Amino acid sequence: MPIKNAAKKALRQSFRRQKINASYERKIKSLIKEARTLVAQKKAKEAKNLLPDIYQILDKAAKVGTIKKNNASRRKSRITKLISKEM
């Protein structure tokens, strides 16, 4: 356990950031998984309706530093390509 006050605060901050980052990761994974299952079920129209939500959460996660900018861009590109290929 940390002894100094600064170390205690750093520990609190890291736990708080860990929770925030985990929530973004869960949202990203669930939305992309939902879009992939819709494409697999030949429901590309509904999957296309999810794209704005996916873009929004990926951009926000990149903005706050959960994932890197290029990672968000790559994920958006791949999911868009997958959905547009099925239409």
Side-chain angles (χ1 to χ4, degrees), residues 12-75:
R12 289 194 309 267
Q13 286 175 328
S14 73
F15 283 138
R16 194 174 306 125
R17 289 182 183 132
Q18 192 176 13
K19 286 180 184 177
I20 293 168
N21 290 341
S23 72
Y24 280 117
E25 283 294 331
R26 274 195 308 274
K27 288 176 191 174
I28 290 168
K29 283 184 181 182
S30 66
L31 282 173
I32 289 180
K33 185 176 182 180
E34 186 178 348
R36 287 183 185 277
T37 55
L38 286 172
V39 168
Q41 296 171 355
K42 306 292 187 206
K43 297 180 181 177
K45 196 84 159 171
E46 290 90 343
K48 190 169 185 168
N49 292 338
L50 278 179
L51 277 180
D53 295 334
I54 294 171
Y55 285 180
Q56 183 180 18
I57 195 67
L58 284 170
D59 288 338
K60 179 69 174 180
K63 181 180 176 185
V64 298
T66 302
I67 60 176
K68 295 195 181 287
K69 186 179 70 166
N70 288 347
N71 187 322
S73 181
R74 184 183 67 240
R75 289 184 187 201

